[in-house]
Amino acid sequence: MTLLRGDALSAAFDHGSAAYDRLVAASPGYHAHLRRSARRLGLPDGGSGLRVLDLGCGTGASTAALLAAAPYARITGVDASAGMLERAMAKSWPESVDFVRAPVEELAGRLETGSFDAVFVGYLFRNLADPDKALDLVRGLLVPGGRLAVHEYTLGGSAIHRAVWNAVCAAIIQPAGRLTGDAELYRHLRRSVGEFDTAPAFAGRLRQAGFRDVRVLPLPGWQTGITHTFVGHAGEEA
């Protein structure tokens, strides 16, 4: 199976959006981990006066996590999937939250350079054909010194981590996807993680893209060694 990309992946998420919230809610720690990663942005004063981009916001789980961590920030959620974004927009949000439908590749022409103080990216980079180009774009959207937090499936490099991921996918995630009629999407999920960077490799990718003070932070539960938070700051120069 070839990994889903671009319009094919958006269409798969469109179809999967109806059951998506139910499935992720059944994953132990899913929402708590997003909230922890959002707090790791370290936004002062509850985000007062700050502009935050939620890139790959999906149905709004990461948006809610950001809102909990920075209730006074201006938050813009962006996603390429119309179905996922429709689910997000149907939820109740304060006026400080808005949403934009756009693939990450198109944001350079739609959002101004240096227009955000912080960017949060959840479960996105392994789904992109060119993650380095996306990182350059994200860095350009940040003010100098702006904060980045990436919440992503990135295996720690141990054979045990890979074995746990494959076992959980085979026993739980893929069967659940088949029950909801989204087998292709959840096959993609399994393979996209296995074929993406390890956590150390992705940290290196961030540094190569011009981010400074990059740290890799673990998450608890069965996701230990499987899901990580990456934090850093946009440097002056790539």
Side-chain angles (χ1 to χ4, degrees):
M1 171 194 165
T2 302
L3 289 176
L4 299 173
R5 298 295 188 210
D7 291 343
L9 183 57
S10 293
F13 274 115
D14 288 347
H15 188 272
S17 63
Y20 193 82
D21 282 343
R22 295 197 304 275
L23 291 179
V24 299
S27 175
Y30 183 91
H31 291 288
H33 290 173
L34 280 172
R35 290 192 295 270
R36 182 177 294 206
S37 288
R39 290 195 299 271
R40 286 169 169 172
L41 271 172
L43 299 179
D45 303 319
S48 180
L50 300 180
R51 303 152 299 170
V52 182
L53 176 63
D54 180 15
L55 191 56
C57 66
T59 62
S62 53
T63 316
L66 283 169
L67 194 60
Y72 306 117
R74 179 75 191 181
I75 301 171
T76 297
V78 175
D79 204 272
S81 165
M84 298 288 275
L85 208 56
E86 182 179 359
R87 299 279 169 177
M89 294 174 68
K91 297 172 183 177
S92 179
W93 303 100
E95 291 185 0
S96 58
V97 175
D98 66 314
F99 294 95
V100 174
R101 183 191 172 198
V104 63
E105 296 85 358
E106 297 179 8
L107 290 180
R110 300 184 61 172
L111 300 175
E112 294 183 11
T113 299
S115 55
F116 291 96
D117 301 287
V119 175
F120 186 86
V121 189
Y123 302 121
L124 176 70
F125 283 109
R126 64 187 163 76
N127 288 318
L128 300 176
D130 192 344
D132 292 321
K133 183 177 180 180
L135 280 170
D136 286 342
L137 185 148
V138 168
R139 185 178 160 278
L141 291 174
L142 282 164
V143 298
R147 303 175 188 222
L148 172 70
V150 178
H151 179 95
E152 185 60 275
Y153 291 116
T154 44
L155 301 178
S158 164
I160 294 175
H161 300 150
R162 187 171 296 273
V164 170
W165 171 248
N166 284 324
V168 169
C169 284
I172 300 172
I173 294 175
Q174 288 183 267
R178 287 193 292 271
L179 286 174
T180 60
D182 298 302
E184 185 179 29
L185 177 60
Y186 289 93
R187 282 196 302 270
H188 165 85
L189 169 63
R190 179 177 182 173
R191 286 198 57 201
S192 67
V193 175
E195 296 184 17
F196 191 55
D197 295 348
T198 62
F202 187 68
R205 193 189 289 267
L206 289 171
R207 296 183 184 102
Q208 186 66 31
F211 289 94
R212 305 292 179 250
D213 307 317
V214 173
R215 291 183 295 148
V216 183
L217 305 172
L219 290 159
W222 74 265
Q223 295 92 335
T224 299
I226 294 170
T227 310
H228 296 85
T229 315
F230 301 82
V231 294
H233 295 83
E236 295 284 349
E237 298 179 359

